[in-house]
């Protein structure tokens, strides 16, 4: 059986770096593509429900 040689370390490192770049770029491209479909208008800071407008100081009633 012939002896199997490992590729040089720099070739392995280059492949890993290229793979990392492809993953990061692909994720960014996918997020940018998905952001195009976000058509819901941004919400304002006011809310009229729950305890959002309650005073943090309890009343003495």
């Amino acid at each position: 059986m012939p002896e199997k040689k490992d590729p040089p370390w720099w070739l392995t490192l280059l492949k890993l770096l290229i793979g990392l770049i492809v993953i990061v770029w692909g994720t960014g491209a996918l997020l940018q593509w998905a952001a195009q479909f976000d058509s819901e208008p941004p919400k304002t800071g006011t809310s009229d429900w729950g305890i959002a407008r309650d005073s943090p100081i309890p009343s003495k009633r």
Side-chain angles (χ1 to χ4, degrees):
M1 185 176 255
E3 190 175 315
K4 189 173 184 179
K5 263 189 125 174
D6 288 336
W9 65 270
W10 58 268
L11 188 59
T12 304
L13 182 64
L14 183 64
K15 288 179 183 180
L16 287 172
L17 285 175
I18 290 172
L20 181 65
I21 289 170
V22 167
I23 289 172
V24 169
W25 177 82
T27 303
L30 184 64
L31 288 173
Q32 187 174 6
W33 176 74
Q36 294 176 354
F37 301 108
D38 186 22
S39 61
E40 185 177 329
K43 297 182 179 186
T44 60
T46 62
S47 62
D48 295 330
W49 57 271
I51 62 169
R53 293 185 179 237
D54 287 353
S55 172
I57 302 170
S59 63
K60 300 278 185 184
R61 289 196 265 164

